[in-house]
Amino acid sequence: RYASAADLARDIERYLADEEVAAYSEPISRRMARLMRRHRGVSQVLMLSVLLFIVVSSVFAVVMGRMASLEANARENATEMRNRSLQFAARSAATSMALNINDAWRILEIESNSQLLRNELETIQGASANADWKTVQEWLIRRAQQNERSTEALSWFLCKADGTQVARFPLIDEETDDVYDSIGRNFAFRDYFRGSGADRNGTPHITDVHLSAVYQSSNTANLKVAFSIPIWSEKTEDGGKKFLGVLGYS
């Protein structure tokens, strides 16, 4: 109850004036509503600002989402293009390598069919003196120099049937002028001679063109691989043929 009629009258005046009354504790929502009614201009500006902020934020979110999507697509496209380029490069490299290997074997097949080479290897099978190997050494030098551009070989070698190296090119290290001492040594253990997959004792000798496992050169200590091919005698009347040695280049 009001203490006096005057207090009641003042509360009624405040109510009619849309002000807070003493007899009732208003919730926050009513206070905010009354405040907005009393300051309509400010309230409208505030509401418009809030709506504008929401609209701008929504548009910004949509734009950023599209930009992110475009960027993701661009990255995906770039990755796909890069993968295609790598695949193309890999196929090109594989094709080029296959052609190089094919050329290497073709050259060896041609050289291994030399009648001079066959005859000389037949002659020197039992010879152990380097003087007896002069003809095959001269033949190997000529053929290595003739095929220099097409093979890009580091070295050529010729071993007779027991694995003894009877010819080599080059004979001298061009950088140090040291004479290579591999001629006369036995390399029957090499994979390019045996074709066993590594430098070790294994099968007697290769029977077809062969790409060796990696090995360490006895002359330079460099790591190498070699293309090699067996050399056979001409077929006899009964259709047989004899193994004469191995020709190859590293």
Side-chain angles (χ1 to χ4, degrees), residues 15 36 95 172 198 202-203 211 226:
Y15 177 77
M36 292 177 66
T95 301
I172 299 175
T203 53
L211 174 60

Side-chain angles (χ1 to χ4, degrees), residues 7-244:
D7 290 339
L8 175 60
R10 282 192 292 270
D11 233 10
I12 291 174
E13 289 176 355
R14 282 194 289 268
Y15 177 77
L16 293 174
D18 197 20
E19 296 178 356
E20 186 176 0
V21 297
Y24 175 66
S25 178
E26 293 179 327
I28 296 295
S29 58
R30 279 179 173 267
R31 292 182 184 180
M32 292 297 296
R34 187 175 63 253
L35 182 63
M36 292 177 66
R37 286 194 298 272
R38 295 182 64 181
H39 303 282
R40 291 183 184 277
V42 175
S43 299
Q44 290 175 353
V45 172
L46 182 61
M47 288 298 294
L48 289 173
S49 299
V50 171
L51 290 174
L52 181 62
F53 175 76
I54 293 174
V55 171
V56 171
S57 298
S58 300
V59 172
F60 180 77
V62 171
V63 172
M64 291 302 294
R66 290 184 178 178
M67 290 181 63
S69 178
L70 290 174
E71 185 178 354
N73 289 336
R75 285 198 300 269
E76 184 177 349
N77 291 336
T79 300
E80 183 177 357
M81 289 297 295
R82 185 165 56 250
N83 289 340
R84 288 183 180 178
S85 297
L86 290 173
Q87 291 169 4
F88 177 77
R91 285 194 296 268
S92 298
T95 301
S96 177
M97 179 62 72
L99 291 174
N100 288 340
I101 291 175
N102 183 69
D103 289 344
W105 288 341
R106 181 179 56 81
I107 290 169
L108 286 176
E109 287 174 342
I110 293 172
E111 300 299 346
S112 66
N113 286 320
S114 166
Q115 190 60 51
L116 172 63
L117 177 63
R118 287 173 174 172
N119 293 341
E120 287 300 318
L121 281 178
E122 286 266 21
T123 302
I124 68 173
Q125 288 302 319
S128 57
N130 289 10
D132 297 328
W133 305 337
K134 180 179 178 181
T135 302
V136 290
Q137 176 63 59
E138 292 174 347
W139 177 89
L140 185 67
I141 291 174
R142 288 196 305 271
R143 303 319 303 153
Q145 291 175 338
Q146 180 69 29
N147 291 295
E148 182 177 4
R149 289 188 177 181
S150 55
T151 62
E152 298 183 1
L154 294 178
S155 63
W156 284 71
F157 54 85
L158 177 65
C159 299
K160 61 181 183 176
D162 65 356
T164 301
Q165 187 179 102
V166 294
R168 187 191 195 281
F169 180 81
L171 293 171
I172 299 175
D173 188 326
E174 294 181 356
E175 295 183 358
T176 63
D177 290 333
D178 292 336
V179 177
Y180 293 135
D181 62 352
S182 57
I183 294 179
R185 295 169 59 182
N186 191 285
F187 293 98
F189 66 94
R190 288 292 196 199
D191 180 51
Y192 59 67
F193 188 90
R194 292 196 174 274
S196 55
D199 285 351
R200 61 173 180 266
N201 294 329
T203 53
H205 55 74
I206 58 175
T207 57
D208 202 351
V209 286
H210 179 66
L211 174 60
S212 78
V214 177
Y215 65 96
Q216 188 174 36
S217 169
S218 59
N219 287 304
T220 65
N222 293 330
L223 295 179
K224 297 181 177 181
V225 293
F227 297 100
S228 57
I229 191 169
I231 303 170
W232 305 96
S233 65
E234 293 189 76
K235 290 184 179 181
T236 59
E237 293 181 357
D238 59 0
K241 55 183 180 179
K242 182 172 64 175
F243 174 69
L244 300 176

